[in-house]
Amino acid sequence: MKSLFGENTNYIQDTEEQWLSVSDLMSGLMIVFLFIAITYMRTVKQENTKMREVAVAYQENQVSIYDALMKEFKNDLSKWNAKIDQETLSFEFNSPDVLFDNGETSIKNNFKAILEDFFPRYINQIRPFRSSINEIRLEGHTSSSWGTTVSETDAYFNNMALSQGRTRSVLQYIYQLPNISHDQNWIKTNIAAVGFSSARPVINNSLQEDSNASRRVTFRIITNSEIQIKKILEK
């Protein structure tokens, strides 16, 4: 009996030592996992902080550009029937009877006079922000109508050619203005003329297309926010 109890005692001691080793291993693993979790949480917090910095910087830049344009042009908007959108940084001319004759791409004299006044001042106002500007998109928009004898598809593509021709005319005209000759290289690199046809109509309160308001020309600033986000995240 004594020898038997002795053997059982040795067995119990061996078992306790084995469980102690497993317990030590589990404790070590828990510490490792806890360290990984803390490190991950810290990384996530740092990334969230960086993203907040990006959002704040982007918003501040948007507001600064908008404020500069509004300060310069606030007294001209009504007489030009123009508006500036803070969210899209779009400078929009909304008088189709002033811009072009119906179905034509040649700029009317009144719009030429507006562009001669507007564009040099516009270029000067955005000059301090060039490092944050990816491009200026000169957008042409039309209504969806094109007579009564063509299909909807033909009307769309006819208006596409019309809107593209109009923005090309505007770009060519402002490019040749004598007092912006020193900015021509920047203009070639950063201003794109795009015709949207009737793809982005203006919808009125009755949820119908406002044909007159849909015919417009817009200078829209596209910032390089994605590039700036990448730079901040790489720091």
Side-chain angles (χ1 to χ4, degrees):
M1 293 291 292
K2 190 173 183 178
S3 62
L4 181 58
F5 284 125
E7 290 177 1
N8 286 342
T9 301
N10 291 336
Y11 173 76
I12 292 173
Q13 290 176 345
D14 291 342
T15 301
E16 289 178 346
E17 290 177 357
Q18 290 176 2
W19 275 109
L20 184 61
S21 299
V22 173
S23 177
D24 290 342
L25 177 61
M26 293 301 295
S27 298
L29 289 174
M30 289 179 63
I31 293 174
V32 171
F33 289 142
L34 180 61
F35 176 77
I36 293 174
I38 293 174
T39 303
Y40 175 75
M41 292 173 62
R42 181 177 298 174
T43 301
V44 170
K45 184 177 180 180
Q46 291 173 345
E47 293 300 315
N48 288 338
T49 301
K50 289 180 180 179
M51 292 304 297
R52 282 195 297 270
E53 291 175 357
V54 171
V56 170
Y58 173 76
Q59 183 64 30
E60 289 178 346
N61 188 61
Q62 291 276 113
V63 171
S64 296
I65 295 175
Y66 174 77
D67 287 346
L69 293 176
M70 283 298 299
K71 182 179 179 180
E72 177 67 24
F73 294 108
K74 61 183 178 181
N75 296 325
D76 301 300
L77 297 177
S78 59
K79 67 180 180 181
W80 291 346
N81 192 16
K83 64 180 182 180
I84 305 173
D85 186 282
Q86 184 172 358
E87 295 300 319
T88 61
L89 295 180
S90 296
F91 198 112
E92 191 172 287
F93 294 96
N94 296 293
S95 292
D97 56 325
V98 173
L99 308 179
F100 305 92
D101 284 324
N102 188 36
E104 299 295 328
T105 61
S106 298
I107 305 171
K108 297 182 74 170
N109 289 333
N110 285 342
F111 192 32
K112 287 181 180 180
I114 291 174
L115 290 172
E116 290 168 6
D117 184 11
F118 159 75
F119 190 68
R121 294 161 60 193
Y122 181 77
I123 283 291
N124 286 333
Q125 289 305 309
I126 65 174
R127 194 182 306 278
F129 306 100
R130 285 186 176 181
S131 62
S132 66
I133 295 175
N134 186 51
E135 73 172 10
I136 296 175
R137 189 175 297 162
L138 178 51
E139 301 176 347
H141 302 270
T142 70
S143 67
S144 60
S145 61
W146 188 277
T148 58
T149 60
V150 298
S151 67
E152 182 178 337
T153 298
D154 288 340
Y156 171 74
F157 284 104
N158 288 343
N159 279 315
M160 176 68 73
L162 180 63
S163 61
Q164 290 175 340
R166 286 175 171 177
T167 56
R168 186 167 58 249
S169 295
V170 172
L171 180 55
Q172 183 176 1
Y173 189 76
I174 61 177
Y175 181 80
Q176 295 174 347
L177 291 175
N179 49 352
I180 58 92
S181 57
H182 55 285
D183 289 305
Q184 285 181 339
N185 287 335
W186 190 86
I187 291 172
K188 285 192 294 186
T189 304
N190 294 279
I191 298 186
V194 181
F196 281 103
S197 184
S198 57
R200 300 180 181 181
V202 175
I203 305 301
N204 60 27
N205 293 332
S206 300
L207 302 181
Q208 301 295 320
E209 177 186 352
D210 186 332
S211 296
N212 195 55
S214 293
R215 302 183 183 105
R216 63 201 190 275
V217 171
T218 299
F219 288 77
R220 181 182 176 193
I221 296 174
I222 311 295
T223 62
N224 56 9
S225 56
E226 292 183 0
I227 296 174
Q228 299 304 319
I229 289 173
K230 184 178 180 181
K231 286 182 179 179
I232 292 177
L233 292 179
E234 287 177 348
K235 289 181 180 180

